[in-house]
């Protein structure tokens, strides 16, 4: 689950989509790897548990942003991997821009407040 | 190690999804929990199973969220309504062509001479088509094809077998509405529903029958893998 105290559910949802799409954009991954990569790449600031990750993945799959497929690992275990679709790439570009602008705005605001 | 597949299957037993989707969700989440369990074992945890189960604090909430995420609100429209409209259009075109080639409009005054009829106001305000004319039988021959078309379109849209039958019956519904609005005031209460609703519905359903089996949707490959896994 994304743990950010005091952040609205809308921002949580948007940031979760950005996190998942960004990770899957680099390489197709299965659910456990997606959660692990997000945790590692954010230094543990953003974490997803099963209850948070899969509803988001299924919702993004329904929207056509990611595509799920089954794959067999080296150990012989079958896992469902997710790769970014063309629609997902199209969604990721404005999403990144929106979040970059959002953080720039917050940064400016916090500097003014400190002054 | 706990049997996570059984744990997940028990706790998500009442998922309101298709059996294939349900198997897939259970296989995927239990695989995730297994990997998490092994990572906790590698990290030297004293209670890896307990830590793994804290991944889902509220299974009922997860079930609701998965259902919401997986549920396709437009599915019935794509799987039943649109194919049904396709069948109606095909049957309508067949009817118009049959009228064009086989029938001369009959004056309105003679309508009571026909035992069963349908007034078609679109081609001619006074045209009467009797159910015992060659036109009627020629049109009936086309209806299994309309039913087949609806079932094929429904199957392509991921419809279940029951929905593939429902799609062609849209034509019967359209005819029933027309019969109720246009023809019933004539007084032929049982003949019109039988000849112009029931018989077409049966023929459409017969046309759909060969297409009730077969793949359920485009993601069936993944479902089959999940089914083999479970």
């Amino acid at each position: 689950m994304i743990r950010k105290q005091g952040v609205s559910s809308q921002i949580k949802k948007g940031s979760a989509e950005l996190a998942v799409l960004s990770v899957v954009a680099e390489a197709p991954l299965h659910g456990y790897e997606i959660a692990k990569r997000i945790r590692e790449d954010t230094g543990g600031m953003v974490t997803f548990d099963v209850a948070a990750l899969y509803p988001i993945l299924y919702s993004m799959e329904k929207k056509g942003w990611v595509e799920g497929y089954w794959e067999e690992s080296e150990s012989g275990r079958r896992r469902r991997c997710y790769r970014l679709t063309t629609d997902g790439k199209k969604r990721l570009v404005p999403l990144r821009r929106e979040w970059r602008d959002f953080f720039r705005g917050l940064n400016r605001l916090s500097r003014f407040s400190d002054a | 190690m706990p049997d996570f597949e059984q744990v997940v299957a028990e706790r998500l037993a009442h998922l309101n999804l298709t059996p294939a989707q349900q198997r897939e969700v259970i296989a995927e989440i239990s695989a995730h929990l297994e990997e998490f369990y092994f990572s906790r074992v590698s990290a030297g945890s004293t209670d890896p199973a307990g830590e793994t189960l804290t991944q889902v604090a509220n299974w009922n909430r997860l079930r609701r969220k998965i259902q919401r995420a997986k549920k396709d609100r437009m599915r019935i429209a794509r799987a039943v309504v649109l194919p049904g409209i396709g069948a109606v259009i095909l049957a309508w075109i067949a009817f118009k062509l049959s009228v064009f080639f086989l029938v001369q409009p009959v004056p309105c005054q003679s309508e009571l001479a026909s035992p069963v009829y349908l007034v078609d106001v679109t081609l001619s305000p006074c045209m009467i088509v009797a159910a015992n004319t060659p036109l009627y039988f020629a049109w009936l021959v086309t209806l299994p094809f309309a039913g087949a078309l609806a079932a094929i379109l429904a199957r392509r849209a991921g419809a279940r077998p029951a929905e593939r039958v429902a799609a062609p019956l849209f034509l019967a519904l359209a005819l029933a509405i027309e019969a109720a609005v246009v023809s019933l005031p004539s007084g032929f209460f049982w003949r019109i529903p039988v000849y112009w609703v029931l018989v077409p519905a049966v023929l459409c359903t017969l046309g759909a029958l060969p297409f009730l089996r077969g793949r359920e949707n485009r993601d069936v490959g993944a479902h089959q893998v999940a089914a083999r896994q479970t």
Side-chain angles (χ1 to χ4, degrees):
Chain A
M1 179 176 196
I2 289 192
R3 293 183 187 112
K4 290 179 184 175
Q5 284 186 343
V7 181
S8 77
S9 60
Q10 194 75 13
I11 292 176
K12 266 188 189 174
K13 191 182 168 215
S15 61
E17 286 174 358
L18 176 69
V20 173
L21 289 178
S22 299
V23 166
V24 176
E26 290 173 19
L29 296 170
H30 60 82
Y32 177 78
E33 280 175 333
I34 291 170
K36 191 177 164 194
R37 281 289 304 280
I38 291 171
R39 191 182 65 245
E40 287 174 356
D41 290 0
T42 61
M45 288 296 291
V46 179
T47 60
F48 281 84
D49 57 23
V50 166
L53 179 64
Y54 286 96
I56 288 170
L57 278 174
Y58 296 152
S59 170
M60 294 198 327
E61 189 178 22
K62 192 171 75 182
K63 289 172 184 166
W65 298 347
V66 296
E67 183 186 22
Y69 62 97
W70 286 90
E71 189 182 78
E72 194 167 329
S73 70
E74 290 170 5
S75 61
R77 214 183 286 164
R78 285 193 178 274
R79 299 177 302 193
R80 193 151 197 258
C81 292
Y82 293 88
R83 63 178 153 229
L84 199 65
T85 63
T86 310
D87 283 350
K89 283 177 193 162
K90 284 179 190 165
R91 174 65 187 142
L92 185 56
V93 172
L95 200 58
R96 277 180 169 152
R97 192 172 53 237
E98 282 164 24
W99 279 92
R100 193 183 57 229
D101 293 346
F102 178 70
F103 281 116
R104 274 184 188 159
L106 273 184
N107 198 27
R108 275 203 301 271
L109 185 67
S110 62
R111 279 178 193 164
F112 286 136
S113 302
D114 292 341
Chain B
M1 181 180 79
D3 183 348
F4 285 112
E5 205 165 286
Q6 194 183 341
V7 169
V8 176
E10 282 171 5
R11 296 181 187 192
L12 295 180
H14 301 296
L15 265 178
N16 187 18
L17 300 173
T18 64
Q21 281 180 319
Q22 192 161 351
R23 282 194 298 272
E24 191 173 78
V25 167
I26 290 167
E28 184 171 22
I29 291 179
S30 60
H32 185 121
L33 292 179
E34 272 180 28
E35 291 219 38
F36 188 87
Y37 174 86
F38 287 125
S39 76
R40 298 321 301 153
V41 170
S42 305
S45 167
T46 53
D47 183 17
E51 282 186 42
T52 303
L53 290 176
T54 62
Q55 283 277 300
V56 184
N58 186 334
W59 286 91
N60 283 332
R61 191 155 175 246
L62 175 62
R63 179 172 50 78
R64 285 195 299 272
K65 283 166 83 176
I66 289 173
Q67 273 171 200
R68 221 174 17 243
K70 285 255 181 196
K71 209 165 191 174
D72 185 353
R73 288 180 193 150
M74 293 301 291
R75 202 182 70 81
I76 291 295
R78 278 200 315 269
V80 179
V81 178
L82 289 180
I85 290 172
V88 171
I89 291 171
L90 181 63
W92 183 80
I93 290 171
F95 187 80
K96 295 297 177 193
L97 288 175
S98 306
V99 167
F100 184 78
F101 289 111
L102 297 173
V103 175
Q104 291 295 318
V106 178
C108 276
Q109 287 76 8
S110 65
E111 68 185 48
L112 291 177
S114 302
V116 178
Y117 64 92
L118 189 74
V119 178
D120 187 343
V121 292
T122 52
L123 272 187
S124 160
C126 288
M127 199 193 75
I128 295 165
V129 177
N132 55 2
T133 60
L135 161 67
Y136 177 72
F137 295 105
W139 179 64
L140 288 186
V141 169
T142 67
L143 293 184
F145 296 102
L149 173 76
I152 290 169
L153 293 176
R155 190 173 70 174
R156 283 172 63 90
R160 298 167 197 159
E163 292 164 344
R164 291 178 210 170
V165 175
L169 292 180
F170 245 72
L171 177 62
L173 181 68
L175 288 166
I177 292 168
E178 186 171 0
V181 172
V182 180
S183 305
L184 281 185
S186 64
F188 297 109
F189 293 112
W190 70 268
R191 288 178 179 175
I192 289 170
V194 168
Y195 288 117
W196 291 97
V197 180
L198 187 63
V199 173
V202 169
L203 290 170
C204 276
T205 307
L206 287 175
L209 285 180
F211 305 99
L212 296 187
R213 301 185 111 189
R215 67 195 176 108
E216 193 167 293
N217 63 33
R218 283 173 292 180
D219 204 19
V220 72
H223 292 157
Q224 284 168 346
V225 171
R228 279 200 297 273
Q229 221 182 6
T230 50

